[in-house]
Amino acid sequence: MADPTQRVYRAWPKGPPTYQQANSDSSDITQSRKWNYSLFDCCSPGTLCVYPRLTSCCLPCLTYGKTQTRIKDSSLQGFSYINGPCAIWSFLSLGAMQWIMQTITRGEMREQYGIEGSCCGDCCVSVFCGCCALIQEEKEAELRTRPELVGYQKPPHMAMP
């Protein structure tokens, strides 16, 4: 069975983790204060040169929308490529202003996962390397929300009576 701590991008979530996967020591990935993927790690591994690289360059709103959905629901249940974040991104890109939204959400992502950085750095990356930043954010969100790395998460509809 593949090692769940490998930093290999998975476009879609796998099934629930096995006992061994759920109990593996993955804190070096999920608790890291640095990005697990480099900004210019776009085509690593080589299979990623098509997706999400091509999608992020040609239709960045789709990658952005998927990343925002993945952060809210790592199972991607009910996910649609045409969603709210995608529509807002598209609207802002008409005036070349999508970098503002990307800077804000990149900062929120850093805060959520405890990644070091600054708003100024987020802004520069979003303006000058927007496509690479989208790929880095998608890969990071996918890695940090894997069920076998984060352990048990209660389903959203589960609540105490």
Side-chain angles (χ1 to χ4, degrees), residues 23-118:
N23 291 308
S24 67
D25 185 24
S26 59
S27 60
D28 60 327
I29 291 176
T30 57
Q31 302 300 320
S32 175
R33 306 250 324 133
K34 298 187 184 302
W35 293 95
N36 285 298
Y37 294 99
S38 165
L39 183 62
F40 302 107
D41 211 5
C42 304
C43 287
S44 176
T47 56
L48 287 180
C49 286
V50 176
Y51 180 86
R53 177 84 174 129
L54 186 61
T55 305
S56 296
C57 290
C58 298
L59 297 166
C61 65
L62 299 181
T63 302
Y64 181 81
K66 185 173 184 180
T67 303
Q68 297 311 306
T69 303
R70 186 185 301 276
I71 290 171
K72 291 181 179 87
D73 178 19
S74 62
S75 68
L76 293 177
Q77 291 180 346
F79 169 71
S80 170
Y81 274 108
I82 309 302
N83 56 29
C86 177
I88 294 169
W89 177 278
S90 298
F91 177 74
L92 289 173
S93 67
L94 294 174
M97 302 303 276
Q98 75 279 5
W99 62 270
I100 296 170
M101 192 162 128
Q102 187 175 0
T103 299
I104 293 167
T105 54
R106 186 174 174 89
E108 291 171 351
M109 184 178 200
R110 276 190 315 94
E111 187 176 312
Q112 179 178 352
Y113 296 133
I115 300 171
E116 297 172 345
S118 67

Side-chain angles (χ1 to χ4, degrees), residues 99-100 102-103 106 121-130 133 137:
W99 62 270
I100 296 170
Q102 187 175 0
T103 299
R106 186 174 174 89
D122 293 339
C123 183
C124 289
V125 165
S126 298
V127 170
F128 299 111
C129 303
E137 293 162 16

